[in-house]
Amino acid sequence: MSRADFIVNTIIPNMLESKALGDREYISYQFDPTKKIEDLVMSDIIFLILNLKIDGKLADKKVIVKFQPQNTAIRIMMNADLQYYNEIYFYKVIYPMLNRTGKCNMCPIYCSASYDDEAEKYLMIEDVGDSGYRMADGDMFLDLQHATLAMEKLGRYHALSYEAKKEHKEEFYGVVNKIKEAYWVENTEDLFYNNAKTMLERSMAGVAEKYKPRVQKLFEKIKGKNAFFKESLKAVEPMAVICHGDFVRNNLMFRYRDGKADNVKFIDFATVRYSSPMVDVSNLLFVSVSTEVRSSHLDELLQVYHKALTSACPGVSVPSLKDIKAEFQRVCFYGALVSIFYLPLLSSRITGECPFDQVKFANAETIAARNDLIRKVGGEEATRIIADIANDCLEKHYF
């Protein structure tokens, strides 16, 4: 069955049955002419306009349909089945459980989904662009105003976990126990370890002599591969929350009023996990905020986060600001390592220098061949960016 037929015969009937968009009569659909079909690393994304009728009046609603990538090698390499399970589970179970009181409207409306092994997996959600949301201007890093808004909304989201643990403890942990590890898994252990090691070596090439003993210790730690990363991400009570898992610029959609961002929604929950809240904070502050802004405004941004965490759910106990700062110091190396791997790939798309070919990478027959492909991705500018991060982490004893 073609995807066009699948949309008409399966996806739209499922959406209408769910009444996610209200009790509406379906007329037809069309591809959104203002958007292009996107073939991303983790998904093939199609933008649709649903022509509906409400109370006898025609109304259009824009939605997004995410399919798994058609390239088999990429699906296997990225553990796409696990990631699709988690994202669908988030929309159908986790978010309704966390936000049952409607305190935090922070993600698109869920319309329908299928994780049926016998049919194509998909997820349909509203296109928040229809409500004025879009990615931030600029290419790589968020400015202070956008980062502040993201941290404020993240604090309100994390507060929902503390509230759920207090009000619905048994249900909360039952939901948490069904989240699947979608990244640090056995079949991709050597791949991700070697990728991380190669990029880390690249970032550390010019470090000062005084830091080299600590660099060596870091390399010894990551030799533990998945065991090291999973232990680093292990949930520690009472701090742990349900994290977004990939809380970076590309997964944030901002709304603008008079040229200024005034709200933000989160997308892409494929790597949702139960872990330290500083996993999300460190991802944002290392992957999506420049070293200069992070270094100059770290205390301010953590205070914004903590204020939102404290005020979101009155009467619910949350960690103190002192505890938040200590936890950031303990966990932030994870976000730094993610940034050292990811930012060269992003830089290559922006500058065009030493571009990354994901299909060639996925189809490479050996780890060594894959390392050769990523060693120079993004060129000299990417190397400078990740070297700055490495030096900052060494100076502040994050590594």
Side-chain angles (χ1 to χ4, degrees):
M1 183 187 300
S2 71
R3 279 186 171 170
D5 289 339
F6 188 60
I7 289 169
V8 172
N9 297 326
T10 301
I11 296 179
I12 291 176
N14 287 347
M15 180 273 296
L16 293 171
E17 183 178 354
S18 75
K19 298 188 185 300
L21 299 178
D23 194 3
R24 305 184 180 192
E25 179 185 350
Y26 168 71
I27 306 298
S28 62
Y29 84 89
Q30 64 191 76
F31 294 106
D32 188 341
T34 68
K35 306 282 184 68
K36 67 176 182 178
I37 296 177
E38 297 192 35
D39 182 9
L40 305 176
V41 174
M42 272 308 304
S43 305
D44 295 345
I45 296 188
I46 297 175
F47 297 88
L48 301 178
I49 300 175
L50 301 180
N51 309 125
L52 307 170
K53 185 179 286 187
I54 311 170
D55 298 328
K57 297 180 180 179
L58 295 177
D60 290 343
K61 180 65 179 178
K62 293 185 178 182
V63 297
I64 294 171
V65 182
K66 298 175 66 174
F67 295 98
Q68 287 193 340
Q70 297 189 41
N71 185 287
T72 302
I74 290 177
R75 284 204 308 273
I76 294 171
M77 179 183 73
M78 298 305 297
N79 302 309
D81 279 352
L82 292 172
Q83 295 206 24
Y84 259 68
Y85 166 85
N86 276 343
E87 182 153 33
I88 293 170
Y89 185 60
F90 177 85
Y91 278 105
K92 294 181 72 172
V93 179
I94 296 174
Y95 187 56
M97 182 269 296
L98 288 178
N99 198 39
R100 67 180 69 206
T101 61
K103 285 188 176 75
C104 189
N105 179 21
M106 42 66 67
C107 66
I109 295 171
Y110 163 77
C111 298
S112 69
S114 174
Y115 192 74
D116 188 344
D117 287 335
E118 301 302 318
E120 185 163 21
K121 297 176 177 65
Y122 78 90
L123 169 67
M124 177 191 275
I125 56 176
E126 72 165 328
D127 181 354
V128 295
D130 204 19
S131 302
Y133 288 82
R134 58 181 172 84
M135 288 188 183
D137 294 332
D139 294 321
M140 184 173 293
F141 296 121
L142 298 173
D143 62 21
L144 180 60
Q145 194 261 327
H146 285 82
T148 299
L149 184 56
M151 288 285 280
E152 191 273 337
K153 198 64 172 279
L154 180 64
R156 302 186 76 81
Y157 166 63
H158 283 168
L160 299 179
S161 286
Y162 298 121
E163 181 180 54
K165 280 195 273 190
K166 176 186 177 184
E167 302 293 341
H168 314 282
K169 184 176 181 178
E170 185 175 348
E171 178 188 4
F172 177 83
Y173 285 108
V175 168
V176 163
N177 289 336
K178 293 181 180 179
I179 298 172
K180 296 184 179 181
E181 175 57 56
Y183 202 80
W184 305 107
V185 296
E186 184 176 355
N187 66 300
T188 54
E189 181 171 32
D190 288 336
L191 168 67
F192 288 141
Y193 163 69
N194 282 282
N195 291 349
K197 179 174 178 290
T198 298
M199 288 300 203
L200 195 56
E201 288 171 342
R202 179 179 173 184
S203 72
M204 297 287 188
V207 299
E209 191 68 30
K210 64 181 179 179
Y211 294 136
K212 288 187 177 178
R214 280 167 45 205
V215 171
Q216 185 59 39
K217 287 183 180 179
L218 178 60
F219 279 109
E220 288 298 320
K221 287 180 180 178
I222 68 170
K223 281 183 180 179
K225 300 182 181 180
N226 280 3
F228 166 71
F229 289 106
K230 289 169 77 172
E231 182 63 27
S232 301
L233 294 167
K234 186 177 179 180
V236 178
E237 298 294 0
M239 181 76 74
V241 298
I242 297 178
C243 296
H244 178 284
D246 192 20
F247 195 69
V248 297
R249 179 184 181 277
N250 288 355
N251 293 327
L252 302 174
M253 303 290 284
F254 293 90
R255 187 183 68 188
Y256 294 84
R257 293 290 184 267
D258 299 323
K260 183 179 180 180
D262 74 337
N263 201 0
V264 60
K265 291 195 175 186
F266 310 160
I267 59 173
D268 195 354
F269 296 88
T271 53
V272 61
R273 64 173 64 251
Y274 188 57
S275 187
S276 167
M278 295 301 104
V279 168
D280 282 344
V281 169
S282 68
N283 273 338
L284 180 74
L285 296 186
F286 281 93
V287 177
S288 299
V289 175
S290 69
T291 298
E292 179 183 1
V293 170
R294 182 180 62 253
S295 297
S296 301
H297 299 280
L298 178 61
D299 282 349
E300 174 187 343
L301 289 166
L302 291 178
Q303 287 171 12
V304 166
Y305 169 83
H306 185 259
K307 182 179 179 180
L309 186 74
T310 304
S311 63
C313 301
V316 174
S317 177
V318 300
S320 67
L321 180 59
K322 180 180 178 181
D323 289 340
I324 290 295
K325 289 181 176 181
E327 183 72 354
F328 180 81
Q329 183 76 28
R330 184 183 77 85
V331 174
C332 70
F333 77 92
Y334 182 78
L337 289 177
V338 171
S339 72
I340 285 170
F341 174 74
Y342 175 71
L343 287 178
L345 308 184
L346 179 58
S347 179
S348 73
R349 293 203 293 268
I350 295 168
T351 66
E353 188 175 357
C354 300
F356 178 64
D357 187 332
Q358 66 188 40
V359 175
K360 188 174 182 180
F361 180 82
N363 288 317
E365 295 183 357
T366 65
I367 294 291
R370 284 177 171 155
N371 287 346
D372 287 340
L373 289 172
I374 66 171
R375 190 168 280 115
K376 295 182 179 180
V377 166
E380 293 183 3
E381 175 62 11
T383 300
R384 182 195 65 77
I385 291 169
I386 62 175
D388 282 349
I389 292 170
N391 277 290
D392 183 57
C393 288
L394 289 165
E395 287 175 8
K396 293 181 171 63
H397 291 266
Y398 299 152
F399 287 161

